[in-house]
């Protein structure tokens, strides 16, 4: 595992060459060069050949599901970057490259976590990890002895958090969430430790030097809870515990994770040219199963062959990436769009929109002038609910003025036919929405049974459908990037407005 860190770390500073082969870096652990991934012959048109080539490479077993933090995901990123470059898009990642490094790591317990308890009487009170207390995987925290602040009802919650104190909230998980995770609740964050009631799930303490956790975004004390159980919990409730000191004994390993970001500057005059539309899709998918530690869990291969353990993610979301790449080819070759266009192939979507949240904190163009995010998610298979092959639907169709603009332009783009699935909130667009930007997702996901399974393979996609959808998307995107419509939520439909305020108001 160490070699994996050493050979991938410098990648974000390597300039990508304008070649038609992806760089053969990184090398695999055996020291042999990874096979280069040839790009297709790229044209300014949307073609089935190009789309299929993109999907088949990204969803190949060789890329092992493109899980965030893996060398295969880095290779996928290099491919995407090479296509953007060949399409005439300018790099907008770190240090003049298309790659934007996203902080990402995994953790390992070097020893069993320790909780030192100070009681009022001075009598010792044992605290055994996995029996008396538990904490979230991946928490890396060493505290001093923190005095306990005991909250039994909302009125007990101090207005200001104290980083030198451990906040103990009595009650169920939902009660403490209600108390503390409401936005802008005073005193919700900033404590040295947050402590609640909870079953110890692990049963037995983990041995020292446990395995690496699955990679995850860093966790701090502000977003986790230490949970107590049994005698220790009773002592806390009775006010017997006056201080807690936690040492998690965790080590961290940084993993390579990148967004791929490119830009086409807008040709429009003044403000219009600075207004930015972000076209996005996520290129990460899920672990290959043996990496997740359950090699036997793969699905049986054909005729007794080896089990399929790779989550290929052909529809989810190699299909969306292919569409964004073809949009780059089309927009890059045409006269400059009036608005600036950012192409964002994001990592970390499957583990909590990690890449997109990072982009929003480090955008290629200011968020103040970012007027829309159009996201592509699972467009490789026709959805009969909206008319089958070639028909796209758009999440949040009825919330913004874009749905109506597309309808007026006679584009074949339908209302999301399954609002009960909450697709509007289930992809990268929602992160843009939460930052006040109109964000919507094009999809044709038909609830097929290969979703998040090893059977989401390139062979199962309908490439004529993907081509037709991408052509529709070109027309929709051109309408927006050429400034013919200014994206906005419809009056009273802003998804960020508190419920009571979502009512009709005068149009702006
Ligand atoms: Zn997805």
């Amino acid at each position: 595992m160490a070699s994996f860190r050493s050979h991938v770390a410098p990648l974000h500073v390597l300039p990508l060459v304008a070649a038609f082969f992806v760089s053969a870096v990184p090398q695999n652990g055996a020291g042999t060069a990874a096979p280069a991934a040839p790009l297709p012959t790229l044209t300014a048109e949307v073609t089935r050949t190009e789309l299929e080539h993109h999907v088949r490479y990204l969803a190949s077993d060789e890329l092992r599901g493109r899980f965030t933090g893996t060398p295969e995901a880095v290779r996928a990123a290099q491919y995407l970057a090479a296509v953007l470059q060949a399409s005439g898009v300018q790099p907008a990642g770190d240090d003049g490259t298309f790659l934007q490094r996203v902080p990402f790591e995994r953790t390992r317990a070097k020893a069993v976590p320790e909780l030192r308890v100070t009681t009022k009487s001075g009598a010792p009170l044992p605290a055994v990890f996995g029996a008396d207390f538990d904490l979230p995987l991946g928490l890396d925290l060493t505290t001093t002895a923190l005095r306990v602040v005991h909250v039994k009802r909302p009125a007990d919650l101090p207005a200001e958090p104290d980083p030198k104190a451990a906040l103990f909230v009595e009650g169920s998980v939902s009660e403490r969430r209600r108390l503390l995770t409401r936005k802008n609740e005073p005193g919700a964050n900033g404590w040295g430790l947050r402590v609640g009631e909870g079953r110890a799930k692990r049963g037995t303490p983990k041995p020292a030097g446990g395995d690496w956790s699955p990679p995850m975004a860093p966790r701090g004390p502000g977003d986790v809870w230490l949970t107590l159980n049994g005698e220790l919990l009773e002592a806390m409730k009775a006010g017997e515990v006056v201080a807690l000191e936690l040492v998690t004994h965790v080590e961290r390993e940084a993993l390579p994770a990148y967004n791929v970001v490119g830009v086409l500057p807008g040709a429009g005059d003044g403000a219009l040219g600075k207004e930015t539309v972000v076209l996005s899709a996520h290129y990460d998918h899920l672990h290959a199963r043996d990496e997740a530690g359950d090699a036997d869990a793969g699905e049986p291969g054909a005729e007794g062959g080896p089990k399929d353990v790779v989550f290929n993610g052909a529809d989810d979301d190699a299909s969306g990436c292919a569409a964004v790449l073809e949009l780059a080819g089309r927009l890059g070759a045409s006269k400059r769009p009036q608005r600036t266009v950012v192409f964002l192939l994001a990592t970390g979507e499957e583990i909590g929109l990690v890449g997109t949240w990072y982009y929003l904190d480090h955008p290629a163009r200011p968020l103040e002038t970012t007027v829309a995010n159009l996201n592509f998610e699972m467009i490789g298979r026709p959805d009969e609910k909206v008319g089958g092959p070639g028909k796209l639907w758009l999440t949040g169709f009825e919330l913004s003025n874009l749905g109506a603009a597309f309808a007026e332009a006679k584009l074949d783009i339908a209302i999301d036919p399954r609002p009960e699935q909450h697709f509007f909130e289930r992809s990268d667009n929602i992160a843009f929405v939460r930052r006040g930007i109109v964000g919507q997702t094009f999809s044709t996901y038909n609830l097929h049974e290969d979703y998040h399974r090893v059977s989401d393979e390139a062979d199962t996609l309908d490439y004529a459908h993907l081509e037709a959808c991408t052509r529709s998307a070109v027309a929709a995107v051109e309408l927006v990037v050429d400034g013919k419509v200014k994206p906005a939520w419809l009056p009273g439909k802003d998804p960020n407005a508190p419920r009571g305020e979502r009512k009709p108001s005068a149009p702006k």
Side-chain angles (χ1 to χ4, degrees):
M1 280 306 181
S3 66
F4 153 21
R5 174 169 41 185
S6 60
H7 69 244
V8 286
L11 269 182
H12 68 294
V13 294
L14 288 180
L16 275 154
V17 291
F20 283 85
F21 288 84
V22 175
S23 159
V25 191
Q27 301 189 328
N28 67 26
T32 53
L39 302 194
T41 305
L42 294 166
T43 68
E45 296 308 313
V46 171
T47 72
R48 176 186 159 149
T49 314
E50 291 167 44
L51 288 161
E52 187 164 348
H53 187 102
H54 301 321
V55 171
R56 288 193 180 277
Y57 177 64
L58 294 170
S60 62
D61 282 354
E62 189 186 322
L63 290 197
R64 300 188 62 77
R66 313 179 300 282
F67 189 77
T68 308
T70 62
E72 290 83 5
V74 175
R75 287 171 59 197
Q78 291 179 309
Y79 175 87
L80 297 164
V83 175
L84 288 185
Q85 175 140 3
S87 303
V89 173
Q90 299 172 10
D94 302 334
D95 307 315
T97 74
F98 286 91
L99 303 188
Q100 178 181 55
R101 177 133 201 173
V102 177
F104 193 66
E105 61 190 17
R106 59 183 178 167
T107 56
R108 173 161 59 189
K110 290 181 293 183
V112 176
E114 281 178 82
L115 184 66
R116 293 163 200 151
V117 181
T118 308
T119 58
K120 202 187 267 180
S121 64
L125 189 57
V128 176
F129 174 65
D132 304 306
F133 77 98
D134 211 340
L135 40 86
L137 196 66
L139 176 66
D140 177 11
L141 188 62
T142 297
T143 74
T144 55
L146 304 167
R147 89 188 154 85
V148 171
V149 172
H150 191 162
V151 168
K152 292 185 184 176
R153 58 192 77 78
D156 299 339
L157 184 66
E160 288 298 321
D162 181 354
K164 293 201 162 61
L167 178 73
F168 172 59
V169 180
E170 253 192 75
S172 67
V173 171
S174 60
E175 283 166 326
R176 68 180 194 240
R177 283 220 179 103
R178 251 199 310 281
L179 182 66
L180 283 177
T181 56
R182 263 176 294 166
K183 244 189 170 169
N184 305 323
E185 183 72 56
N189 289 308
W191 295 91
L193 196 60
R194 300 197 297 186
V195 187
E197 180 172 340
R199 275 193 309 268
K201 296 181 203 73
R202 291 183 180 84
T204 50
K206 268 198 174 163
D211 289 339
W212 289 103
S213 72
M216 57 174 60
R219 283 173 176 277
D223 51 17
V224 297
W225 288 86
L226 176 83
T227 54
L228 305 182
N229 192 36
E231 207 183 320
L232 180 55
L233 176 65
E234 293 314 313
M236 277 295 267
K237 284 183 177 173
E240 282 300 309
V241 178
V242 292
L244 292 173
E245 182 178 353
L246 178 69
V247 186
T248 58
H249 293 300
V250 151
E251 67 179 320
R252 299 174 175 222
E253 181 185 51
L255 295 179
Y258 301 94
N259 288 328
V260 181
V261 194
V263 66
L264 283 175
D269 290 332
L272 185 65
K274 292 206 164 50
E275 287 180 356
T276 299
V277 177
V278 179
L279 304 180
S280 65
H282 71 91
Y283 73 88
D284 69 298
H285 191 59
L286 304 174
H287 267 295
R289 284 207 170 159
D290 51 354
E291 285 167 11
D294 53 348
D296 296 333
E299 297 183 14
E303 289 157 18
K307 284 180 174 179
D308 185 359
V309 295
V310 177
F311 290 78
N312 304 81
D315 195 17
D316 187 6
D317 187 24
S319 66
C321 291
V324 171
L325 294 179
E326 289 297 277
L327 279 156
R330 171 70 184 230
L331 295 171
S334 67
K335 63 174 176 39
R336 291 266 176 231
Q338 294 296 297
R339 287 191 168 115
T340 292
V341 182
V342 166
F343 300 88
L344 170 62
L345 288 316
T347 191
E349 190 270 353
E350 301 285 7
I351 49 172
L353 319 186
V354 166
T356 293
W357 286 118
Y358 187 81
Y359 173 84
L360 288 164
D361 287 335
H362 306 85
R365 291 291 183 271
L367 297 189
E368 298 73 52
T369 50
T370 299
V371 295
N373 165 232
L374 296 175
N375 183 52
F376 294 84
E377 175 78 279
M378 304 183 74
I379 60 169
R381 301 193 194 193
D383 186 0
E384 293 304 328
K385 273 213 165 187
V386 293
K391 312 288 188 194
L392 282 169
W393 46 261
L394 179 68
T395 66
F397 187 101
E398 66 293 348
L399 301 181
S400 83
N401 59 355
L402 296 182
F406 297 155
E408 196 183 318
K410 306 224 172 345
L411 304 183
D412 231 341
I413 294 165
I415 295 176
D416 169 5
R418 298 179 191 80
E420 74 283 0
Q421 292 284 336
H422 299 281
F423 289 131
F424 180 68
E425 282 110 30
R426 284 171 56 184
S427 191
D428 284 307
N429 67 292
I430 193 66
F432 282 86
V433 172
R434 295 298 175 234
R435 293 291 169 92
I437 296 161
V438 174
Q440 295 176 257
T441 292
F442 291 102
S443 182
T444 67
Y445 176 40
N446 60 12
L447 301 187
H448 60 74
E449 60 178 23
D450 298 317
Y451 170 73
H452 282 200
R453 296 183 65 188
V454 296
S455 49
D456 182 5
E457 303 259 13
D459 280 341
T460 64
L461 266 51
D462 177 340
Y463 293 96
H465 162 75
L466 178 56
E467 181 186 10
C469 287
T470 307
R471 286 176 190 274
S472 285
V474 166
V477 164
E478 284 182 344
L479 198 72
V480 179
V481 302
D482 286 343
K484 298 200 177 71
V485 55
K486 171 113 185 183
W489 300 119
L490 292 173
K493 299 287 188 186
D494 182 342
N496 291 318
R499 251 169 221 290
E501 290 168 28
R502 274 181 237 166
K503 59 192 180 209
S505 58
K508 285 180 223 159

